[in-house]
Amino acid sequence: MFKRLSLYTLLLCLVPFFVWGFTYHWHGNNQLMEWDYWLYLLTETGSVPYALITCAIFALLFRFLFENRKQWIMGVIVMGLSVLSTQVIKTGLKTVFAEPRPFTVYLAEKTESTTDAFYHQDRSERAKLVDKFYSTQTDTPAWLKAHYEDETGYSFPSGHTAASVASVVALYLAGEKRLWKIALILACFIAFSRMYLYVHYPTDVLGGAVVGVISGYIGYKVTLRMSRHSGMN
């Protein structure tokens, strides 16, 4: 089981390598097209508060796809604990590595400032700096500027990727035979969208994938222990 899981995780990790293969350089958002708004909507499925809606939809789908109520409850708990674990782990790692996001590096370069000066401000001030700068960038649409204003934290690892990968791992380990494949495809697109919209570097996505695997496994093991103590097995 874990060999197959490792293979599927590796396939997801090919997404940032694919981006690297086409040479990852960013000099503004002039490559964006109208249909890219759909990528933004997709990446928002992993953002608060929309991520809660995504989790609720998956939880409802669980009820129809799992064989019985007990398995459904375990699946929901595994997923919930896995996603919660990603938030704890990625928050700690972001604080340790303190890596700036791509669009904040661009902002610093164009304003002849530094990313250290940017991150020295509190979040509300960072959002104002982002709003002021990207309002002057005609190639950055309003919806993306608003997203940048919300994403002024550190870059490594990608929390969106971590949460989506954790969901895949949780579903796979919980024994769901169909929904985890849909979650894998969704995770790949979310990982790509984070890089394409220049909110994350490929290394952030790789780091997020590793965090997701670890978190999914933690969620699964904790749920197993809980079910044994409660007599669910």
Side-chain angles (χ1 to χ4, degrees):
M1 178 172 66
F2 288 101
K3 288 183 179 179
R4 290 184 62 192
L5 178 59
S6 299
L7 173 62
Y8 296 130
T9 305
L10 176 62
L11 291 176
L12 191 144
C13 289
L14 289 178
V15 175
F17 283 112
F18 174 81
V19 174
W20 264 320
F22 282 88
T23 310
Y24 183 85
H25 290 298
W26 182 56
H27 303 288
N29 288 306
N30 54 12
Q31 88 289 347
L32 293 177
M33 296 177 285
E34 289 186 9
W35 67 271
D36 290 327
Y37 181 68
W38 295 101
L39 272 180
Y40 162 71
L41 294 179
L42 180 63
T43 204
E44 282 289 81
T45 62
S47 302
V48 177
Y50 308 108
L52 299 177
I53 299 174
T54 303
C55 290
I57 291 173
F58 270 89
L60 289 175
L61 289 174
F62 286 174
R63 189 66 186 94
F64 298 102
L65 294 176
F66 277 106
E67 295 178 357
N68 54 63
R69 185 171 177 272
K70 182 175 71 174
Q71 191 181 30
W72 170 59
I73 293 173
M74 286 189 63
V76 172
I77 294 174
V78 170
M79 189 176 221
L81 289 174
S82 299
V83 174
L84 180 62
S85 297
T86 66
Q87 301 311 298
V88 174
I89 297 173
K90 68 96 177 176
T91 299
L93 290 176
K94 281 180 184 289
T95 302
V96 170
F97 288 98
E99 290 291 331
R101 293 184 185 273
F103 73 87
T104 64
V105 173
Y106 182 74
L107 182 156
E109 290 174 350
K110 291 299 181 180
T111 57
E112 298 183 353
S113 181
T114 64
T115 54
D116 287 339
F118 177 84
Y119 283 101
H120 183 70
Q121 309 291 326
D122 61 34
R123 277 187 172 267
S124 61
E125 289 301 317
R126 293 179 212 167
K128 291 177 183 178
L129 290 172
V130 169
D131 176 45
K132 181 180 179 180
F133 174 72
Y134 282 100
S135 292
T136 67
Q137 304 298 299
T138 57
D139 58 1
T140 302
W143 50 264
L144 185 54
K145 180 177 74 69
H147 188 61
Y148 285 168
E149 289 176 40
D150 291 333
E151 297 286 344
T152 57
Y154 291 117
S155 192
F156 181 89
S158 168
H160 284 68
T161 303
S164 58
V165 172
S167 299
V168 175
V169 174
L171 288 168
Y172 184 83
L173 293 178
E176 206 296 304
K177 297 180 175 62
R178 290 161 290 183
L179 193 56
W180 74 266
K181 295 177 182 178
I182 298 174
L184 177 63
I185 294 172
L186 182 63
C188 287
F189 277 104
I190 287 177
F192 176 75
S193 72
R194 302 307 286 170
M195 293 179 288
Y196 185 77
L197 298 177
Y198 298 101
V199 185
H200 282 295
Y201 294 105
T203 48
D204 302 334
V205 171
L206 281 175
V210 173
V211 171
V213 171
I214 294 172
S215 299
Y217 184 72
I218 290 173
Y220 175 68
K221 295 299 286 186
V222 170
T223 304
L224 276 184
R225 180 164 294 187
M226 288 170 57
S227 67
R228 286 168 184 157
H229 284 300
S230 63
M232 287 180 66
N233 276 349

